[in-house]
Amino acid sequence: MKRGEVIIYLSFVILSVIIFSSLTNAATRTCSSCGNCTAEIATAAAGDVVQLNQSINVSGICVNFGGTSNISFNCQSNVLGGDRTDYGIYLNSVNNNTIRNCNVSNFSYGIYLISSNNNILTNITANNNTNPGIYLSSNSNKNNLTNIISNNNQYGILLDTGSNNNIVNLTVQENTLYDIMVSNTNQNSCNNNFSNINGSGGRAIEFYNYSAVIQNKTLSQLILCNADYSSINNVTIKSSGTLSNN
């Protein structure tokens, strides 16, 4: 082996060791209460996984990410249950976190993101909260929400001044004001992707941020955001059988 090839080979080996070491140093932590989970998250290192090992009922805020980024929080299908006040899961100015397999119900806000980017929410249920089930606020950008159920809240999903969020595979039904609400106070809010949304009455919700031809549909909700010059023909909007939420 030539000297140059040896150097390249050794560089590759060293890089592989560094990557392997960073992966193997990631820890799995467990928690069993809101305070315990918040404390584990606060001390977690990048790559760590915090797992909830039982359901919780709490008065006030439950899980607060504080300033922690780059970790995973897995509820393992356990329930965070509130007293219809405060936040179930709260993220403020944190990035690159994953929240999965959580049922967050009976809070004021189920999951609240403020100024938080590049987070993943997947396999989430957020029902029976007095305000939004999930709220993206204050320029929360580039978040991925998949496989979400958010029913019987004030809003299923409320998106306010955030952009480039990808929101896919939702069931949002019987929310009292709107199943999906996109703020019209900031044009950036139009720069988001919503797809495969099942709204009240079991009918689709469609979102357009471009000029579109929309025809021959029965929808639960139709959202046009920067969709000037769209053509709409033979479209029926019919949402809940009991609520005026479209």
Side-chain angles (χ1 to χ4, degrees), residues 145-161:
L145 282 65
T146 60
N147 301 328
I148 306 293
I149 299 171
S150 188
N151 301 333
N152 301 299
N153 308 287
Q154 181 189 46
Y155 301 95
I157 305 283
L158 175 56
L159 197 158
D160 181 23
T161 65

Side-chain angles (χ1 to χ4, degrees), residues 33-81:
S33 69
C34 296
N36 185 201
C37 291
T38 296
E40 290 292 341
I41 289 169
T43 57
D48 284 0
V49 178
V50 178
Q51 295 183 341
L52 177 64
N53 60 16
Q54 65 178 27
S55 294
I56 302 171
N57 287 301
V58 65
S59 176
I61 191 170
C62 192
V63 177
N64 187 346
F65 269 68
T68 302
S69 296
N70 303 299
I71 66 134
S72 293
F73 178 62
N74 187 348
C75 293
Q76 301 190 108
S77 300
N78 288 301
V79 177
L80 305 180

Side-chain angles (χ1 to χ4, degrees), residues 153-157 172-182 198-206 217-224 235-246:
N153 308 287
Q154 181 189 46
Y155 301 95
I157 305 283
V172 281
Q173 298 179 343
E174 303 304 315
N175 296 286
T176 55
L177 293 183
Y178 291 97
D179 289 329
I180 299 286
M181 177 66 181
V182 178
N198 185 24
S200 291
R203 288 173 283 275
I205 296 174
E206 295 189 354
K217 296 175 180 284
T218 299
L219 303 173
S220 175
Q221 191 177 347
L222 175 62
I223 303 169
L224 303 178
V235 173
T236 299
I237 305 298
K238 185 179 181 181
S239 58
S240 171
T242 58
L243 299 170
S244 298
N245 64 347
N246 58 4

Side-chain angles (χ1 to χ4, degrees), residues 44-239:
D48 284 0
V49 178
V50 178
Q51 295 183 341
L52 177 64
N53 60 16
Q54 65 178 27
S55 294
I56 302 171
N57 287 301
V58 65
S59 176
I61 191 170
C62 192
V63 177
N64 187 346
F65 269 68
T68 302
S69 296
N70 303 299
I71 66 134
S72 293
F73 178 62
N74 187 348
C75 293
Q76 301 190 108
S77 300
N78 288 301
V79 177
L80 305 180
D83 63 349
R84 302 182 73 78
T85 65
D86 233 310
Y87 309 101
I89 301 177
Y90 182 68
L91 296 86
N92 186 345
S93 303
V94 295
N95 307 312
N96 302 307
N97 293 298
T98 298
I99 300 171
R100 65 175 74 248
N101 304 322
C102 294
N103 185 328
V104 187
S105 300
N106 293 304
F107 289 90
S108 179
Y109 298 85
I111 300 179
Y112 193 114
L113 282 73
I114 179 169
S115 302
S116 295
N117 305 318
N118 295 296
N119 299 286
I120 297 172
L121 278 61
T122 185
N123 297 333
I124 302 294
T125 298
N127 293 340
N128 302 308
N129 299 285
T130 56
N131 288 298
I134 298 177
Y135 188 12
L136 278 68
S137 173
S138 301
N139 291 310
S140 290
N141 304 315
K142 298 181 180 179
N143 298 289
N144 282 282
L145 282 65
T146 60
N147 301 328
I148 306 293
I149 299 171
S150 188
N151 301 333
N152 301 299
N153 308 287
Q154 181 189 46
Y155 301 95
I157 305 283
L158 175 56
L159 197 158
D160 181 23
T161 65
S163 64
N164 296 301
N165 295 289
N166 188 44
I167 303 173
V168 180
N169 297 338
L170 307 183
T171 297
V172 281
Q173 298 179 343
E174 303 304 315
N175 296 286
T176 55
L177 293 183
Y178 291 97
D179 289 329
I180 299 286
M181 177 66 181
V182 178
S183 170
N184 61 1
T185 60
N186 189 310
Q187 293 297 312
N188 286 336
S189 298
C190 297
N191 299 325
N192 292 285
N193 174 57
F194 290 84
S195 62
N196 194 23
I197 309 172
N198 185 24
S200 291
R203 288 173 283 275
I205 296 174
E206 295 189 354
F207 174 87
Y208 295 89
N209 54 10
Y210 55 89
S211 179
V213 176
I214 309 164
Q215 59 187 4
N216 303 325
K217 296 175 180 284
T218 299
L219 303 173
S220 175
Q221 191 177 347
L222 175 62
I223 303 169
L224 303 178
C225 194
N226 274 358
D228 295 351
Y229 306 109
S230 290
S231 173
I232 303 172
N233 181 51
N234 193 30
V235 173
T236 299
I237 305 298
K238 185 179 181 181
S239 58

